[in-house]
Amino acid sequence: MYQFRFNPDQGFGAQFLYEHEDDIVLVYHIKNRSVIAIDKGYHPCVVAPDYEMYYFTVIVGEHSKSLIQHFDPNHEYQVHTIPGIKDMINKFK
């Protein structure tokens, strides 16, 4: 589950959902306090210019292995360029 918040409140963005590179992508328009449940696949999100986006997430699984994160191979390089991502990944190993 993801709940989104924006600064300022009238901010907005988009949440993309897909499993494979060639999938038709499901896109949600997200605004302040939007909630989206995701049970599989990749789910990147973007924010409109000049707004800040925050999200709160609740992650559950049948066992700890189901909490291991997987990154789209086309964008995996960001694991090495975005501060804090490697630390977050290591917490779930």
Side-chain angles (χ1 to χ4, degrees):
M1 298 284 282
Y2 284 82
Q3 182 188 54
F4 295 89
R5 301 281 176 94
F6 292 88
N7 181 27
D9 288 348
Q10 71 269 21
F12 63 96
Q15 174 82 61
F16 300 83
L17 303 176
Y18 66 98
E19 289 189 64
H20 306 286
E21 180 179 332
D22 297 329
D23 288 350
I24 293 175
V25 177
L26 181 60
V27 181
Y28 290 100
H29 172 233
I30 51 176
K31 53 188 180 178
N32 207 40
R33 301 189 183 273
S34 291
V35 175
I36 299 180
I38 300 169
D39 64 347
K40 59 186 170 185
Y42 302 114
H43 41 275
C45 52
V46 296
V47 62
D50 292 328
Y51 293 103
E52 293 178 315
M53 178 178 65
Y54 306 90
Y55 55 85
F56 304 93
T57 184
V58 176
I59 303 172
V60 297
E62 293 181 29
H63 45 77
S64 62
K65 189 170 185 167
S66 65
L67 301 178
I68 294 174
Q69 298 172 1
H70 301 276
F71 294 87
D72 181 333
N74 292 314
H75 307 288
E76 187 274 336
Y77 74 91
Q78 293 178 345
V79 169
H80 308 286
T81 61
I82 299 174
I85 295 290
K86 284 184 180 181
D87 293 334
M88 180 185 68
I89 294 167
N90 287 332
K91 289 181 182 178
F92 292 101
K93 288 187 175 181

